[in-house]
Amino acid sequence: MNFHLSGGEMKYGMTGKILRVDLSNQAHSVEEPDEKFYRTYFGGSCLACYYLLQKRLAGINPLDPENLLIFASSPLVGSGIPGANRFSVASLSPLTGYYGEAEAGGWWSPELKKAGYDAILVEGRAEKPVFLWINDEAVQIRDATHIWGKVTGDTQEIIRNETGESRARVASIGPGGENMVRYACVVNNLRHTNGRSGMGAVMGSKNLKAIAVRGKQKIAFKNNAALKKIIKWYNDNFMDHPIERVLHDGGTIGWDVTELDEAGILPTRNFHSGSFEDADKICGETFHDKYFVKADSCHGCPIRCKRVARSTGEYQVDQTYGGPEYETAAAFGSLCGISNLEAICKAHELCNSYTLDTISAGSSIAFAMECFENKLLSIQDTDGLELNFGNHEAMIRLIHKIAKREGIGDLLAEGTLRAAQKIGQGADL
């Protein structure tokens, strides 16, 4: 029995359709696996692994056209169950050369499902920049040369205006992905990132600027009454769990910075310490006092752990890009010896606009700071930047340089391992 019904009708959480896009030939096709396939490979990273293994990509450069890029949802996406809104982006990683994947929440994955597809397989490389426009199963490969070079906020606005769909969900790359920074990420709705392993760089290598989706089809589930009962129970009871209460009240930044510092395991000065003397200046309480605008959420989730930041001070933080998670506060804060929380919020904004993974970007900058302090990098090597721990101005300038691959940024865009190997002098020890 096929897992899909005729006429595009959905069946029990999955559409039964997988979109395959060949950018080299500007073509697309639809695969319709049977129920056994879905029960075996299910969705998300498992489905992605299947296609990557089937492709037999061993030995190829992850930035070559032959690499396969996969966006995959799962059966509970769109159900309204909290936490079941996520999707995987997977490929060979430009950072490691091996399997890489990154997950994101938000609203993009439910929209893809409502547009009629469970996953998208992207192969080849377009001759010039393009974006995919998927509107209720209709697929177009559109020109994106006029968007290439723009940050994600401008990209999303232009695509929504061109398609005439103000509610289109856009997953895109900025200059970081276009310049194939090896830890470039994919950002949807400006605030939700597939952060790890360089999936944005793979998009850039394919000249794929964005995938915009709009769907109005209903996602069918077998027992809607039971589904609603589960969701209601969760909504009524989730605050009884101590961690979920903390995440609801303060987000990840409201818990982890202080807790990890007290435990002696807060990454500090490129991991030379587990405790930061200024942890109270970058913690959730300080964030909420100074820069918090509101709590944000993903599809169907009442926890609302996403924080939105704004500042009109020195760094002019734009709230449309959301706000920092714990990982961002640690990577650009304690790991770099930086206690300026406004600069950390700005770093978050820049990374979401440029599409840089905040963890890898912050780690690369912290590594460069240690190299500078140990005289493995000179002031000439760093384009005149005093890369001492704690220098938030230099940190902000480095983010721009990394995304654009300018000067020292070109080296750090390769990731810490490759940078250390090039610097030598024991930097890779």
Side-chain angles (χ1 to χ4, degrees):
M1 180 183 75
N2 286 339
F3 203 59
H4 65 281
L5 300 180
S6 61
E9 183 180 354
M10 299 192 183
K11 182 166 176 75
Y12 306 154
M14 303 300 280
T15 72
K17 294 184 178 182
I18 293 175
L19 177 65
R20 186 181 286 273
V21 178
D22 181 351
L23 293 177
S24 295
N25 295 304
Q26 297 287 287
H28 67 272
S29 59
V30 177
E31 297 182 3
E32 301 186 45
D34 59 17
E35 182 176 359
K36 181 180 179 181
F37 171 88
Y38 280 102
R39 289 191 178 277
T40 303
Y41 302 109
F42 213 61
S45 57
C46 187
L47 184 148
C49 278
Y50 165 79
Y51 279 104
L52 285 169
L53 288 170
Q54 185 187 59
K55 184 79 172 176
R56 297 181 181 179
L57 296 169
I60 75 160
N61 186 326
L63 299 176
D64 283 348
E66 291 79 12
N67 196 8
L68 185 64
L69 179 65
I70 303 167
F71 292 70
S73 67
S74 296
L76 291 180
V77 165
S79 66
I81 292 178
N85 53 68
R86 303 181 69 80
F87 68 102
S88 297
V89 179
S91 186
L92 289 188
S93 168
L95 205 57
T96 67
Y98 299 101
Y99 175 79
E101 71 168 83
E103 286 193 4
W107 304 76
W108 189 90
S109 190
E111 199 74 19
L112 177 68
K113 191 80 71 72
K114 289 190 291 183
Y117 299 103
D118 301 314
I120 305 171
L121 315 179
V122 183
E123 52 195 341
R125 175 188 291 152
E127 290 186 4
K128 60 182 181 180
V130 298
F131 75 91
L132 295 184
W133 169 229
I134 304 170
N135 186 11
D136 275 337
E137 296 191 29
V139 179
Q140 296 178 358
I141 302 174
R142 291 195 174 191
D143 177 59
T145 53
H146 58 303
I147 314 175
W148 201 254
K150 295 189 180 299
V151 297
T152 54
D154 294 337
T155 297
Q156 177 173 277
E157 182 180 6
I158 292 170
I159 288 176
R160 285 178 170 176
N161 287 338
E162 286 189 7
T163 60
E165 285 286 356
S166 62
R167 296 183 64 184
R169 305 296 182 179
V170 182
S172 67
I173 57 171
E178 295 169 4
N179 292 319
M180 290 174 275
V181 175
R182 289 186 184 270
Y183 44 85
C185 62
V186 180
V187 174
N188 77 85
N189 285 66
L190 310 185
R191 302 180 181 186
H192 306 278
T193 61
N194 303 85
R196 311 298 287 147
S197 67
M199 298 298 99
V202 179
M203 279 186 73
S205 74
K206 296 182 175 300
N207 277 333
L208 178 60
K209 179 65 174 176
I211 302 178
V213 295
R214 182 73 175 105
K216 299 169 187 170
Q217 302 179 50
K218 185 178 179 181
I219 305 172
F221 293 93
K222 186 171 184 178
N223 191 333
N224 286 299
L227 192 61
K228 290 179 181 178
K229 186 176 180 180
I230 292 171
I231 294 170
K232 184 179 185 305
W233 179 90
Y234 185 89
N235 290 338
D236 290 343
N237 294 280
F238 79 94
M239 288 287 276
D240 293 338
H241 193 285
I243 293 179
E244 293 191 1
R245 175 181 288 275
V246 170
L247 290 175
H248 176 274
D249 292 343
T252 58
I253 193 175
W255 173 64
D256 287 341
V257 172
T258 305
E259 292 289 321
L260 294 180
D261 185 67
E262 291 176 354
I265 53 174
L266 179 66
T268 302
R269 293 184 177 84
N270 205 27
F271 294 96
H272 278 271
S273 174
S275 182
F276 186 41
E277 67 277 9
D278 288 327
D280 61 314
K281 295 181 180 179
I282 64 170
C283 70
E285 184 176 354
T286 302
F287 170 81
H288 282 80
D289 285 344
K290 293 186 174 183
Y291 306 114
F292 175 75
V293 177
K294 64 177 181 178
D296 199 7
S297 185
C298 298
H299 180 271
C301 187
I303 296 177
R304 301 182 66 82
C305 69
K306 306 290 287 186
R307 305 292 98 173
V308 177
R310 178 180 60 201
S311 176
T312 57
E314 177 185 1
Y315 286 112
Q316 299 285 310
V317 178
D318 184 351
Q319 71 182 68
T320 60
Y321 291 96
E325 303 275 0
Y326 150 72
E327 292 87 348
T328 305
F332 289 117
S334 56
L335 194 65
C336 293
I338 289 172
S339 59
N340 187 315
L341 186 53
E342 186 185 49
I344 293 169
C345 292
K346 186 64 178 181
H348 162 86
E349 176 205 315
L350 290 173
C351 284
N352 276 17
S353 64
Y354 281 138
T355 54
L356 299 177
D357 172 44
T358 59
I359 301 174
S360 295
S363 297
S364 295
I365 293 172
F367 161 77
M369 287 177 167
E370 182 177 356
C371 287
F372 184 81
E373 293 209 340
N374 285 290
K375 303 188 185 310
L376 301 185
L377 288 174
S378 68
I379 196 75
Q380 289 77 29
D381 296 325
T382 63
D383 309 322
L385 295 178
E386 296 277 354
L387 290 187
N388 298 107
F389 285 119
N391 190 339
H392 56 87
E393 293 96 343
M395 180 262 287
I396 293 296
R397 289 183 64 184
L398 266 184
I399 294 173
H400 293 288
K401 285 180 170 291
I402 289 169
K404 299 173 183 178
R405 281 188 173 268
E406 294 176 347
I408 183 67
D410 187 42
L411 174 67
L412 298 180
E414 291 293 295
T416 54
L417 176 61
R418 289 177 176 83
Q421 290 170 340
K422 187 168 183 178
I423 293 169
Q425 308 175 74
D428 56 343
L429 297 179

